[in-house]
Amino acid sequence: MKKLLALLGVVVVLVVAGFGIHQVSGQSQKKESKTIVVGSQGSDFQIWQHIADSPEAKEAGLKIQVKEITDGVQLNKATADGSVDVNAFQSYSYFKAFNQQNKKNQLVNLGTTYLEPLGIYSEKIQSLDDLAEGATVAIANNPANTARGLLLLQEAGLITLSDDFGPLSGVEKVAENPKKLVFKQIDDTTGPRVLKSVDAVLISNTVALDGGLNVLEDSLFHEKVDQSTKNNVNILATAKDNEDNANFKKLVKLYHNKTIQKYIEKEFNGTKIEVVKPVSYLEN
């Protein structure tokens, strides 16, 4: 009888142990197969939807769900609180501005994706030389893109910025404005819609594409890809707690897959210029 009870005890232990192993194994598989929620907007949403459905994502062992959030600040906040795992929409300067203004909801940069040149557009003039004195120029009203736009206007020879101009500086740092340009600050997603009401408008390429514009063909002047524009390189961002998440880091490599890049090149006529650089490139 004692031997029978002992044998039954061993069987129970083995069953429980087996169940425990199965449960742990199941939890491990569930953890590994977790769907990554990528938040994006505009043309980037289209790219990531393509990536999510691609054979390349399957080969990488990544399950991706793409969520569209059109407000950049809300998208960053959703990423910081975990509602979104990774976001793909912003330049490095926009990312830095968000972190500077949201000390308790810090994001980290997972890696670079591309640079889209910011362009100056107009329906009233054919050349920036034709810009009249007192002309109205529309620029973005968020700090990072305001600064980026002013730097482009300086590069175009229209204004001169003060020596202490920084990545979040605004129009108060315009030192010289020989044409007495009037700066109208707008929601940068409305750029194409205000073309008829201003003399010129600065439009980011994602917004330009949504409005049927090609920065390489339709702008009067646009950014060049060089060291001076590295803050404008787009990145993938996640919450600080996810900095070492291996699957999230795989998204960077997946984006730069040759087949994915061929799709992006063809679909967006070369306006999303691939940038393959380490995180340290932007930080230095």
Side-chain angles (χ1 to χ4, degrees), residues 77-97:
K77 287 182 176 179
T79 306
D81 69 23
S83 302
V84 165
D85 293 316
V86 175
N87 69 47
F89 79 99
Q90 67 191 315
S91 67
Y92 186 61
S93 61
Y94 190 98
F95 160 86
K96 287 194 296 183

Side-chain angles (χ1 to χ4, degrees), residues 20-35:
I21 290 170
H22 175 74
Q23 186 177 41
V24 170
S25 175
Q27 288 174 344
S28 175
Q29 289 176 0
K30 183 178 180 181
K31 184 177 181 181
E32 289 175 2
S33 64
K34 177 182 180 295
T35 298

Side-chain angles (χ1 to χ4, degrees), residues 1 5 10 16 28 36 48 74 76-77 91 112 121 142 158 161 176 200 213 231 234 240 246 248 264:
M1 185 67 177
L5 289 173
V10 170
V16 171
S28 175
I36 301 172
W48 282 96
Q74 293 306 314
N76 269 343
K77 287 182 176 179
S91 67
T112 62
Y121 299 79
N142 63 72
L158 294 171
L161 301 171
E176 297 179 22
L213 300 169
N231 279 331
N234 274 47
K240 189 170 181 59
F248 292 3
I264 295 171

Side-chain angles (χ1 to χ4, degrees), residues 151-170:
L151 285 168
L152 182 60
L153 292 172
Q154 176 174 255
E155 184 69 21
L158 294 171
I159 61 173
T160 301
L161 301 171
S162 62
D163 292 338
D164 61 345
F165 186 87
L168 299 179
S169 293

Side-chain angles (χ1 to χ4, degrees), residues 107-127:
L107 300 177
V108 292
N109 171 18
L110 289 170
T112 62
T113 51
Y114 62 85
L115 181 137
E116 297 186 279
L118 175 68
I120 305 174
Y121 299 79
S122 177
E123 287 191 356
K124 296 184 178 181
I125 57 174
Q126 299 299 312
S127 166

Side-chain angles (χ1 to χ4, degrees), residues 28-53:
S28 175
Q29 289 176 0
K30 183 178 180 181
K31 184 177 181 181
E32 289 175 2
S33 64
K34 177 182 180 295
T35 298
I36 301 172
V37 179
V38 174
S40 196
Q41 56 184 250
S43 57
D44 286 340
F45 174 81
Q46 178 184 337
I47 289 173
W48 282 96
Q49 192 63 65
H50 172 83
I51 292 174
D53 297 334

